[in-house]
Amino acid sequence: GALLALSKPPGLPILGRPGDLSLDALLPALRRRLGLAAELHVVKAPAREYSGLVLLSSCYHTTKKLQQFFTNARQRGQYPATYRAITVGVPEEVEGEICTGLCWQHQGDKAVVVPVPAPGRRSLARKDVKITQTHYRVLSAMGGCALLQLQPRTAFPEQLQVHLTLLLCPALGDHEHSSHVGRVLGVPFFLSPETAPTRTQVLDEELLSRLGLSPRQLHHLPLHIHLQELVLP
């Protein structure tokens, strides 16, 4: 019918400035290629850094109805989006909840998302901090890495990356937040964002070898978080 599903590669933004490559800029060409009469609208799509499902619609009313469904689903305690992630490290518990406050913080000339473990009432009331929650389950583990299923129960930019660092298992290819997980004698611990500047993710030689990468190529490694499934009404 009106719906079309695609699989987006990591690094492709949904919206962009005129002349930039973005999903939105590709929609007219996609419409012509498929011979569709009506314009295509983005119903649901993963963030720029993520890969995975993009849901498009050629019917304005269907788009609005589904977007309202996704908004209302969280309020009803339903979580229609399921992600997969490959992590560097394996969580101690096979299944659990990650719950923390998140906020934007200015560091130098840029804004970054940081966890706030015990936010005050005033910061919550002013909406400076938002309580966020993600359910996770380990699907597989091998060689110090794990495949996780993630169901975000709230929506906040970079929520999944930050929550994985709080598990001390950053996502493979996370060059933004992985520096917040340090190691002493092989034991991981959390470093505050203020003391751990952003850098290219550091991987041990064995994992680099298995990935077929040199240290110089690491900054090209994409973020391994993938929107796997969307449940529709």
Side-chain angles (χ1 to χ4, degrees):
L3 295 179
L4 174 67
L6 307 175
S7 185
K8 182 183 85 69
L12 179 67
I14 307 307
L15 299 173
R17 293 173 297 186
D20 288 351
L21 180 63
S22 67
L23 179 66
D24 187 62
L26 293 171
L27 291 183
L30 180 64
R31 173 190 168 192
R32 290 193 299 270
R33 184 168 180 174
L34 295 175
L36 300 176
E39 288 185 15
L40 287 167
H41 310 278
V42 178
V43 179
K44 185 82 171 172
R48 174 184 186 143
E49 299 81 7
Y50 300 176
S51 60
L53 268 171
V54 172
L55 190 62
L56 304 174
S57 168
S58 59
C59 170
Y60 177 80
H61 296 292
T62 301
T63 300
K64 290 301 175 186
K65 185 177 179 180
L66 285 174
Q67 287 177 339
Q68 193 63 49
F69 163 76
F70 287 124
T71 300
N72 295 341
R74 284 193 295 268
Q75 299 169 358
R76 294 193 300 266
Q78 298 172 337
Y79 313 105
T82 300
Y83 292 78
R84 298 282 189 272
I86 295 177
T87 61
V88 181
V90 181
E92 288 187 11
E93 301 292 333
V94 174
E95 190 168 358
E97 303 282 337
I98 311 155
C99 185
T100 188
L102 290 181
C103 75
W104 287 98
Q105 184 181 90
H106 285 281
Q107 291 183 6
D109 59 351
K110 70 173 188 174
V112 296
V113 179
V114 298
V116 185
R121 290 183 179 179
R122 288 185 179 181
S123 61
L124 291 172
R126 293 196 304 264
K127 298 185 178 179
D128 295 334
V129 178
K130 180 177 179 177
I131 298 296
T132 58
Q133 186 178 4
T134 300
H135 180 84
Y136 78 89
R137 183 159 61 93
V138 179
L139 301 177
S140 177
M142 183 186 297
C145 294
L147 174 66
L148 267 59
Q149 174 180 290
L150 303 171
Q151 286 186 310
R153 305 197 166 183
T154 52
F156 198 92
E158 301 175 24
Q159 173 179 317
L160 296 181
Q161 296 105 293
V162 177
H163 281 188
L164 290 173
T165 63
L166 293 174
L167 274 182
L168 304 179
C169 300
L172 182 66
D174 185 353
H175 307 300
E176 187 71 27
H177 300 279
S178 61
S179 59
H180 303 155
V181 179
R183 288 183 181 273
V184 173
L185 299 176
V187 179
F189 64 96
F190 186 76
L191 287 161
S192 69
E194 295 83 2
T195 61
T198 297
R199 68 177 185 210
T200 300
Q201 188 174 33
V202 177
L203 302 178
D204 62 40
E205 290 184 8
E206 182 183 350
L207 183 52
L208 276 174
S209 175
R210 285 161 57 201
L211 290 169
L213 295 174
S214 70
R216 289 185 178 183
Q217 295 172 314
L218 253 180
H219 68 280
H220 292 301
L221 186 67
L223 181 66
H224 281 58
I225 298 180
H226 182 84
L227 178 52
Q228 177 80 13
E229 181 181 275
L230 288 171
V231 177
L232 302 183

